[in-house]
């Protein structure tokens, strides 16, 4: 059974990747992050074109829009964003572009954890809890169907397939992570991107920075993480693809822990890599975590 699951997940990772456009003519829909763009493409299929604003590896917390972003939003009939304060630059971009397209926030209405360091801020990284991320699919289907009513059946069929793939992904993640002993389930990372992952899959998460990379880590943050790594004898600390590795490397030097990763955190990987889709980025992360902590 699990060989079949692995095969299906591998097939899913070869589907429309985070940066590939659709094939149809007409105005392009816009999606902000690579994860949102990937979902919209999987559901829209070849019926609609989807343009992602952020490129693989880009950090949405501190992204600085460029003129082509404003042009894309000005022409887009639909703009899909993540929400939960992940794209603080988006309202100004929409206003300055003069775009009149419908705004669709995929994470709107979902229960979310709060930042441990600032309770006024939500933690936006819900995509690392696969069952929670699956709950964003109906909102995408609804928006696409309202925009293109003739394509409703296509969108609903694509959504069912994608939801099944994510169900298989969740089951595979749980099976793979079962190889990591409970005593070693501590994930030390650059910033607090894996709180949902930890809650969903049974890991203590020890970040250096807060939920947004806009925040600066202070001396107390480093001391806290170093003490925890030493106390728990954490064997590996992980750098992230979209965050500077300097702080994690400093923790490693002071504790003797090895440096692992990188883990995909706020963006998918390059288009032609195994991490170039939402399914692929989670599969790659889990493989790295299991190898490093097993």
């Amino acid at each position: 059974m699990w060989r079949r699951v692995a095969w299906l997940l591998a097939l899913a990772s070869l589907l429309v990747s985070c940066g590939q456009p659709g094939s149809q003519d007409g105005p392009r829909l816009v999606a902000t992050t690579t994860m949102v763009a990937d979902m919209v493409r999987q559901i829209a299929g070849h019926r609609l074109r989807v343009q992602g604003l952020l490129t693989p590896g880009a950090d949405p917390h501190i992204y600085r829009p460029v003129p082509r972003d404003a042009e894309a939003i000005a022409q887009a009939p639909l703009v899909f964003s993540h929400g939960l304060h992940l794209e603080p630059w988006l309202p100004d971009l929409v206003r300055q572009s003069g775009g009149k397209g419908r705004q669709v926030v995929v994470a709107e209405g979902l229960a979310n954890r709060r930042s441990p360091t600032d309770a006024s801020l939500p933690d936006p990284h819900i995509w690392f809890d696969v069952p929670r991320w699956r709950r964003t699919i109906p909102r995408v289907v609804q928006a696409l169907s309202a925009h293109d009513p003739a394509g409703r059946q296509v969108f609903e069929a694509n959504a069912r397939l994608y939801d099944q793939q994510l169900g298989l992904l969740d089951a595979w993640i749980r099976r793979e992570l079962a190889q990591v002993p409970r005593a070693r389930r501590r994930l030390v990372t650059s910033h607090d991107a894996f709180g949902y992952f930890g809650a969903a899959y049974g890991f203590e998460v020890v970040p250096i920075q807060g939920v947004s990379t806009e925040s600066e880590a202070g001396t107390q943050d480093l001391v806290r993480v170093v003490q925890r790594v030493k106390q728990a004898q954490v064997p590996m600390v992980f750098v992230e693809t979209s965050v500077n590795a300097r702080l994690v490397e400093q923790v490693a030097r002071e504790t003797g822990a090895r440096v692992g990763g990188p883990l995909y955190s706020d963006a998918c990987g390059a288009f032609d890599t195994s991490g170039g889709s939402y399914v692929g980025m989670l599969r790659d992360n889990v493989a790295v975590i299991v190898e490093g902590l097993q």
Side-chain angles (χ1 to χ4, degrees), residues 147-177:
H147 170 67
D148 179 12
R152 176 182 293 273
Q153 290 186 340
V154 173
F155 305 142
E156 290 177 347
N158 288 345
R160 285 193 296 270
L161 176 60
Y162 190 54
D163 186 63
Q164 290 170 4
Q165 292 167 355
L166 297 193
L168 291 173
L169 173 65
D170 182 56
W172 179 85
I173 289 173
R174 295 179 190 280
R175 173 180 173 269
E176 291 298 302
L177 293 178

Side-chain angles (χ1 to χ4, degrees), residues 64-237:
R64 293 185 177 181
V66 295
R68 66 173 176 270
D69 297 334
E71 181 181 354
I73 285 183
Q75 299 174 1
L78 285 177
V79 178
F80 291 88
S81 63
H82 178 83
L84 300 180
H85 202 66
L86 182 63
E87 309 109 330
W89 41 268
L90 184 59
D92 284 343
L93 176 62
V94 171
R95 183 169 56 254
Q96 292 169 8
S97 71
K100 303 299 182 183
R102 178 185 171 190
Q103 306 291 305
V104 183
V105 183
V106 301
E108 185 177 357
L110 290 183
N112 55 81
R113 72 189 284 263
R114 312 305 290 180
S115 166
T117 57
D118 185 351
S120 67
L121 289 177
D123 180 352
H125 304 88
I126 64 171
W127 56 89
F128 285 125
D129 177 345
V130 178
R132 193 183 299 259
W133 189 238
R134 291 171 72 181
R135 294 203 290 271
T136 66
I137 292 175
R139 185 175 295 274
V140 175
V141 175
Q142 181 184 35
L144 293 177
S145 299
H147 170 67
D148 179 12
R152 176 182 293 273
Q153 290 186 340
V154 173
F155 305 142
E156 290 177 347
N158 288 345
R160 285 193 296 270
L161 176 60
Y162 190 54
D163 186 63
Q164 290 170 4
Q165 292 167 355
L166 297 193
L168 291 173
L169 173 65
D170 182 56
W172 179 85
I173 289 173
R174 295 179 190 280
R175 173 180 173 269
E176 291 298 302
L177 293 178
Q179 301 176 62
V180 180
R182 291 284 177 183
R184 283 177 168 249
R185 293 191 177 193
R186 295 181 181 87
L187 198 58
V188 181
T189 60
S190 301
H191 85 296
D192 194 5
F194 295 91
Y196 293 100
F197 181 89
Y201 302 111
F203 277 72
E204 176 190 353
V205 179
V206 185
I208 302 173
Q209 290 177 270
V211 296
S212 173
T213 52
E214 289 181 299
S215 63
E216 293 286 342
T219 302
Q220 290 184 340
D221 297 308
L222 281 171
V223 170
R224 168 182 53 81
V225 174
V226 167
Q227 289 177 341
R228 185 59 183 144
V229 170
K230 288 180 176 179
Q231 178 189 43
Q233 298 181 331
V234 176
M236 181 169 285
V237 295

Side-chain angles (χ1 to χ4, degrees), residues 222-294:
L222 281 171
V223 170
R224 168 182 53 81
V225 174
V226 167
Q227 289 177 341
R228 185 59 183 144
V229 170
K230 288 180 176 179
Q231 178 189 43
Q233 298 181 331
V234 176
M236 181 169 285
V237 295
F238 295 92
V239 297
E240 302 171 27
T241 55
S242 56
V243 184
N244 190 301
R246 177 179 56 84
L247 294 176
V248 171
E249 291 170 348
Q250 183 174 343
V251 170
R253 285 194 300 271
E254 296 188 24
T255 61
R258 292 174 294 143
V259 176
L263 299 177
Y264 296 107
S265 54
D266 292 338
C268 299
F271 310 144
D272 58 350
T273 67
S274 59
S277 68
Y278 170 72
V279 171
M281 71 183 285
L282 265 72
R283 282 176 55 83
D284 279 9
N285 277 2
V286 168
V288 169
I289 290 168
V290 170
E291 181 180 359
L293 299 180
Q294 184 179 5

